[in-house]
Amino acid sequence: MTLLLNTVSDLGERLQELHARTRETPLFNPVFQLGLDVSRALEGGVMDLDAVERLVEELECSSLKARARRLERLVGPVAPAANRAALQERLGKDDFEAFWAEWETPRLHAVFTAHPTFLLTPAQTDAVAAAASSGSEIGREVCASGEQRPSVTLDYEHAQAMQAIAHAQDARRDIVREAMLHAAGCWPDQWKGLRPLPFRFATWVGYDMDGRTDIKWYTSIRFRLAEKADRLARYADELAAIDPAHGLIGTLNAACEHAARSAADFGGDLTSPKALSEAANRLTADDPAKLTSLAAIIAQLEGEAQAAEDTGKAASLLTLAAAMRADGLGMAHVHFRVNAKQLHNAIRTHLHENPELDLASKGAMATLRKMLKEVSPRRTNFASLAIESSTATRQFLAMAQILGHIDADTPIRMLIAECEQPSTILSALYFARLFGIEDKVDVSPLFETESALEHGGRFLEALCAEAQYRDYARLRGRVCIQTGFSDAGRFVGQIPASLAIERLQGRLAQAMERHGLTDVAALIFNTHGESMGRGAHPSGFADRLAWPMSAWARSRFARVGVALEPEVSFQGGDGYLAFANPDLARATLTRIITDSPESSPENDDPFYTRTDISLDFYRAIRAHQRRHLRSATYSRAVTAFGLGLLNSTGSRVSRRQSDLSADRDMNLRQIRAIPHNAILQQLGYPVNVISGIGSAADGNYEEVAALLAESERGQQLLRLARASNALASIKTVAAHGELFNSAYWASRPYRGTEPHLSAACEVLAEYLTKDDRTGVYRRLASRLRVDALKLHRLLDHFPPEEQSLALQDTRRMIGAAQALRLALMQHMFLKAVSVPVFSRANDISREDVLEMVFSLRVDDALAQLRRAFPTHFPSPSDFAMDAPADYPDGSIEGYVQIARDYINPIERAYALMLRLSVAIANQFGAHG
């Protein structure tokens, strides 16, 4: 019987039929069988790659629509009128002091980061944003347009960040103006004294040096100057809209042009001393157009607002002044980031008496205390930057030049990754004081590894005990820390990471109280992204805001009287979707206002009082995740070919370098956190989100279920687990392993079903007898299945969730995409082993090429095949020879037939595979 699999509906119906067979044969794998059905049709000529591409386009369109629905559900309502009404409902009318306190303190600091998550093409991004904000249809032309995926360079990421921030600024402007007009109506004698600051925006795109060496110091200077020019132009435009004849418009435009010229200067090659000197001298020279502070302009605008009789004009002037106060001379605040090891290397050059000093020792702390007391600020210039070889020192020097010559008012964050000892912070303070910028730099340790989260409480206690650090915190008015969800999710698991992070937050509150730092704020930056695997809660904005900083954690600070400044990231293309157009940006900021959790000193959540249950539950999940993340089976499963399932989606590489022979033993630390999360999505089971919950409840289901049911935090955890479980498929994980099953390939043409594949299947069967991947995936699937049984047993203690038609459709779409991709992988394997044998050339053998294909290093394999089988040779007509020749006759065409029948189909199948990966990620709601 010939199956008709011409549409995605056909694939879905067939998948449902196959799922029914699991009742008869529990080990039957419907996803793999559907992949085999498609593969037989493809290899038998019933289908061709054109037909497969039509199915891929249909799945792409469906996934983009699903992504738009998810975005609308997350930030909705999106209509401007609805959000104006929501804001008006939220604004108070009775207490001016309460209104003042609420609007002059940021509800949220939003950081626009850019780890590799730029999955969608610009046209797809626009289509999803339009569909989510206006309900417009996503036409098939968006999926089938053939739009070239842009090269995701650092400049591309920066441009995308600036566009998202611009939309956020416009939305904030409208919100602030509406709040000011509301205040004018309620308190006509007091409202002009308001200095609203509901949101601060920041970015590290172009300033993050952790894990990369491709950003030159002058790249960061160029970006900061370009951002200054952009922001000044926007200020001028906003002022012109208020008063077209205002005298400050010329001042702002002149300063904009000055910054733009300097940005162009720093956009060139500044490796020569002459070129750098010319660019630097033009920037640092006195110039009437040069503007390094907005203080005088803000004062003038606020003074004019006080004198204005027109309420609308006064509100607009105060709104513009508020934006200047929030953003300074840039599109947003900036975050520099270095690794603790880079900072350790830098400080050693200043430990003249003992450069080999153990920086974790008490002696190092004593030495650094003495250095901090004795250090005197040193003048620096751009030559200092050019000469400096230490990455960390260079970052401080760059900050000094930015504060000295670009924006003197706006503080800069210095994030320190893998910071696990207080001496690292004192080292950073030393450089800040050495270069005279201590009063404008917020040094922030990052906690995201298992060790850092486990020992972070002691770290914070020791840090707050340092008198010089306390003096510095008071100088800055805040204590800053950063907690990371990506690496924490990779090595600890998302749920234990979330619980460890909130515990660390509570320890910070304790340390600040114990050492008398209740007079400063606590700024806590949580660097989660948009997916469950990166620490974002999928249920809605209320959960999204409360999950990284729970009501319990907030209560710890409220109890000791410490003002809290929460900060989160909107990460790359996924996070920027929430700001992809003005309506979405307004909806997102409105949801933050309406859905932000309150900070109350009281919290009676039983999750934190019944620690006899909750602490054991947390430790058991963490132990289960640790067993996965430290097991050779899990590591091999993730790294066996997983990176080949992913598109390139960022300027920072997804994997560190390794040769072909090292791939089999690749460690999880050789791939970055977001690609790790993305691979789990593509394999079909988000292990680091869901795994371990069931096993942690084993033997104590009733008590654990009762605790989760009574607890607000427990309910959040449960919603996360259910959302993850609704998308998970262990059968899909197992299906990937069967591609490498020698017995499958040996049996496939058995009984003459596919005689034309006999030779290729025989080669595959023989080659894969030594391959370990089938066993690896079977072991992993078995472990996941046992844990999933226990999870389902736990979930049985709660009222069942209604399975919506949309969710059922999502599961079918993911299953269809997975099966289609399995068929394309089989197509590539069959084509690869059918390529005629070629001789070893340039140290690459046929076996190497096959292993590249099996590891989905397809681009590498294609490059080698094209070297072995060129389609074009030099022609006699290319040469101007005087002597005649009859040989060759010019008719040689190269290996055109081999390219047509084998190499080109592999390339096309792989391109279709990557498009299916995009569709799967969209159904999950984010990349990675």
Side-chain angles (χ1 to χ4, degrees), residues 250 395 421 860:
Q395 295 293 73
Q421 49 205 34
D860 292 340

Side-chain angles (χ1 to χ4, degrees), residues 881-896:
M881 296 293 174
D882 293 332
D886 298 319
Y887 181 85
D889 61 8
S891 63
I892 297 176
E893 295 182 0
Y895 298 101
V896 174

Side-chain angles (χ1 to χ4, degrees), residues 537 539 543 547 605 607 705-722 798-799:
H537 204 291
S539 297
D543 275 339
W547 183 245
D605 190 324
F607 196 85
L707 176 65
L708 296 180
E710 295 168 10
S711 160
E712 179 185 347
R713 190 63 162 172
Q715 286 295 306
Q716 283 182 334
L717 187 155
L718 197 62
R719 287 193 291 273
L720 181 70
R722 279 179 151 161
F798 300 94

Side-chain angles (χ1 to χ4, degrees), residues 777-913:
Y777 274 90
R778 284 180 173 176
R779 285 194 300 277
L780 176 61
S782 293
R783 293 173 188 175
L784 296 177
R785 193 168 281 115
V786 170
D787 179 61
L789 288 171
K790 296 175 181 178
L791 174 64
H792 293 147
R793 197 169 296 149
L794 174 65
L795 295 179
D796 285 342
H797 288 77
F798 300 94
E801 282 193 320
E802 186 176 334
Q803 291 289 312
S804 68
L805 292 175
L807 179 57
Q808 294 173 28
D809 184 59
T810 297
R811 289 188 64 85
R812 276 197 300 272
M813 291 297 169
I814 293 175
Q818 292 281 13
L820 202 56
R821 196 171 59 184
L822 289 168
L824 288 167
M825 290 176 75
Q826 293 181 70
H827 188 65
M828 289 196 307
F829 290 4
L830 289 164
K831 291 294 183 184
V833 297
S834 299
V835 172
V837 176
F838 58 90
S839 61
R840 175 178 287 274
N842 299 311
D843 298 323
I844 294 292
S845 68
R846 181 172 186 265
E847 287 72 23
D848 290 333
V849 170
L850 291 179
E851 190 55 44
M852 287 176 183
V853 173
F854 295 146
S855 300
L856 295 187
R857 295 178 59 171
V858 178
D859 290 338
D860 292 340
L862 290 170
Q864 298 305 327
L865 287 172
R866 288 195 170 109
R867 286 169 59 195
F869 300 104
T871 55
H872 299 286
F873 291 99
S875 167
S877 62
D878 295 337
F879 302 89
M881 296 293 174
D882 293 332
D886 298 319
Y887 181 85
D889 61 8
S891 63
I892 297 176
E893 295 182 0
Y895 298 101
V896 174
Q897 179 262 332
I898 291 176
R900 182 192 66 229
D901 293 345
Y902 304 109
I903 299 174
N904 294 346
I906 292 174
E907 180 178 43
R908 189 177 180 193
Y910 186 55
L912 292 172
M913 272 183 56

Side-chain angles (χ1 to χ4, degrees), residues 2 57 107 155 169 213 226 230 325 333 375 441 465 516 533 554-555 743-744 793 916 926:
T2 301
E57 289 170 4
R107 281 178 175 79
D155 282 285
Q169 288 171 348
T213 58
D230 287 348
R325 201 183 298 279
H333 291 210
V375 66
V441 174
R554 291 169 187 267
S555 74
Y744 163 71
R793 197 169 296 149
L916 288 167

Side-chain angles (χ1 to χ4, degrees), residues 557-583:
F557 292 95
R559 182 172 295 180
V560 299
V562 171
L564 195 57
E565 296 185 38
E567 184 171 64
V568 300
S569 64
F570 289 90
Q571 197 169 78
D574 292 337
Y576 298 178
L577 264 178
F579 298 90
N581 62 37
D583 289 350

